[in-house]
Amino acid sequence: MKTLDSLALRAEGDRLFVLDQTLLPHEEKWIECREPRDMIQLIQRLAVRGAPLIGVAAALALAQAAEKGASAEALTIAADELREARPTAVNLAAAIDRLKLTLNPFERGRLISEAEAIFIEDVALCEAMADNGASLIADGDQILTHCNTGGLATAGVGTALGAIRRAHEQGKRIHVFVDETRPLLQGARLTAWELSKLGIPHTLICDNMAGALMAQGRVQKVFVGADRIARNGDAANKIGTYGLAVLAHHHGVKFYVVAPQTTFDESCKDGAAIPIEERKAEEVSGRQANQSSAVWNPAFDVTPKKLITAIVSDSRIF
Ligand code: MRU
C-alpha cells in the first residue's frame, strides 16, 4: 500500500494503524491493525468511527490482507464480515462493495489500488464539502454541532466540522457550541479536542441545553453530518440529531446536513428503510444509573427532510 496519513488512520506498506478514539482526549494511542478481524473489533468498539472513516478503514484492512497474500476466498469472507461490522453508515457497505468488484475475477493489485483510491477520494470529498459548507457560514455566526464530524470521522478535514473549520480559516469570526453527545460523548471528547487543536472558539454544552441556547437566540445555524441519506432526503445521524432539528425548526434556526456522495443510499426509499444500530445498555447506564432498569440505546436517529434546510454535499448544495 501507498503511504496514507490522516488524523486517525495511517497506512504504510502492509502496516495499518488507527488512533484509538475511545481514549481521546486524554491519551493519543495508535493501535496496529494486523488483520480484518482486528479492524472489525476496532470499528465495533468505536476506536475507529465516523461514517466515512469506517468505510476507508475497512477498505484499507482488506487491502492489507490482500497485500499479505490472502486468497480470494479468504478476502471474500473478510469483506462480508467487515461489511457487517456496523449497520447504519452506508459508507462502510459502499466501500466494501466497491472492493468486492475486484474479487471476481480476482485482481490483487486492483483491490489494493481501489482501497487507496477510497482514502484519497475521501480527502477530496471533504475539501469540496468544506468549501460548499463554508459558503453558508457568515462572519459572526454562532453554530451548534453534534457528535464528531471532523478529521477523526473522515480521512480528510471532515464533513460538518470541515465546513466550520474552512469558515474559520477564511477569517470568519465564528463561535461553535458543541453538544456533548450522550452516551459516548463524541462531542465533548472528540469535537472539543479537534476544535481546541485548531484554535476555533467553542463552548461545550450538555445535549439537554440546546433548547435553552436557541431560545436565547444564541445559535443561528446547526451543522451536522449524516451516516446515511435516503432517496427522499431523510438523513440518519447520531442519536439526538432529530431532536436538534425539531428545536431548530421551532426557533427558526437553519439546519444543515453535510455529507459526501458516499453517504447517499439510493436503495433506501426513505428514512424508515435505514437500519438503526442499537448498542449495549452499559453505554447508557454506566455506573451511575440504577443497574436493574431496562435501557434503550439506539446509536442513530432519522431527521425527516422537511426539517433540513439544505444538504451540503461535495458536488453541490441540495
Ligand atoms: O457512532 P459514531 O461516532 O460513528 O457516529 C458518527 C456520527 O454520527 C457522525 O455524525 C457521522 O458519521 C457523520 S460525520 C462524518
Side-chain angles (χ1 to χ4, degrees):
M1 268 187 288
K2 282 190 178 124
T3 300
L4 300 164
D5 198 0
S6 74
L7 190 58
L9 185 63
R10 286 182 191 152
E12 197 182 344
D14 66 3
R15 301 193 74 184
L16 188 54
F17 297 90
V18 304
L19 180 62
D20 185 347
Q21 297 193 33
T22 65
L23 302 177
L24 289 174
H26 305 295
E27 199 182 336
E28 294 179 31
K29 182 178 169 193
W30 288 82
I31 302 180
E32 183 155 13
C33 167
R34 292 194 162 79
E35 54 173 6
R37 223 169 301 150
D38 291 346
M39 187 56 81
I40 291 169
Q41 280 180 7
L42 290 164
I43 290 173
Q44 287 177 338
R45 68 177 187 85
L46 306 197
V48 181
R49 49 150 298 283
L53 193 70
I54 61 175
V56 175
L60 292 186
L62 206 61
Q64 178 190 45
E67 186 111 31
K68 288 182 172 179
S71 67
E73 260 179 325
L75 289 168
T76 305
I77 293 168
D80 291 340
E81 289 173 354
L82 278 162
R83 197 181 188 283
E84 300 302 314
R86 290 188 79 189
T88 303
V90 73
N91 314 60
L92 173 60
I96 293 297
D97 289 347
R98 182 167 161 188
L99 294 192
K100 280 186 84 174
L101 297 176
T102 68
L103 284 169
N104 191 16
F106 183 35
E107 296 170 85
R108 191 178 300 275
R110 201 159 78 82
L111 188 153
I112 296 166
S113 60
E114 282 292 311
E116 292 165 348
I118 288 171
F119 182 106
I120 293 161
E121 285 166 20
D122 190 57
V123 175
L125 293 172
C126 287
E127 288 298 311
M129 280 183 286
D131 288 339
N132 287 339
S135 74
L136 299 168
I137 297 174
D139 189 31
D141 270 351
Q142 297 186 288
I143 301 165
L144 178 64
T145 192
H146 191 66
C147 196
N148 171 267
T149 63
L152 292 171
T154 64
V157 291
T159 61
L161 206 63
I164 290 169
R165 172 180 177 166
R166 184 60 36 88
H168 170 77
E169 287 163 353
Q170 290 168 348
K172 293 172 184 163
R173 285 157 298 179
I174 54 170
H175 191 92
V176 186
F177 287 98
V178 182
D179 259 357
E180 65 177 351
T181 316
R182 279 277 293 151
L184 296 178
L185 305 180
Q186 286 93 333
R189 295 188 303 106
L190 309 178
T191 300
W193 180 78
E194 284 200 46
L195 289 170
S196 294
K197 278 190 165 244
L198 293 166
I200 301 176
H202 62 282
T203 301
L204 181 63
I205 61 167
C206 298
D207 299 337
N208 54 8
M209 296 168 187
L213 195 70
M214 288 188 199
Q216 289 184 11
R218 294 171 67 188
V219 177
Q220 287 76 52
K221 284 156 197 169
V222 177
F223 271 77
V224 295
D227 287 77
R228 191 184 297 228
I229 299 177
R231 200 162 64 226
N232 74 335
D234 292 349
N237 191 48
K238 179 53 56 194
I239 191 73
T241 303
Y242 169 57
L244 279 183
V246 174
L247 282 173
H249 181 72
H250 180 75
H251 292 96
V253 168
K254 292 194 162 53
F255 190 90
Y256 296 111
V257 173
V258 187
Q261 51 184 259
T262 48
T263 300
F264 288 75
D265 186 358
E266 282 291 313
S267 74
C268 276
K269 181 165 116 339
D270 56 28
I274 299 176
I276 300 294
E277 175 183 10
E278 292 201 13
R279 295 183 59 88
K280 286 190 303 223
E282 300 85 81
E283 290 181 356
V284 171
S285 52
R287 290 211 193 116
Q288 285 167 317
N290 179 49
Q291 298 297 304
S292 61
S293 300
V295 167
W296 182 50
N297 184 17
F300 303 95
D301 56 26
V302 174
T303 300
K305 85 159 180 214
K306 67 174 181 220
L307 295 178
I308 301 172
T309 309
I311 296 177
V312 181
S313 195
D314 41 278
S315 60
R316 66 188 180 96
I317 300 170
F318 298 89

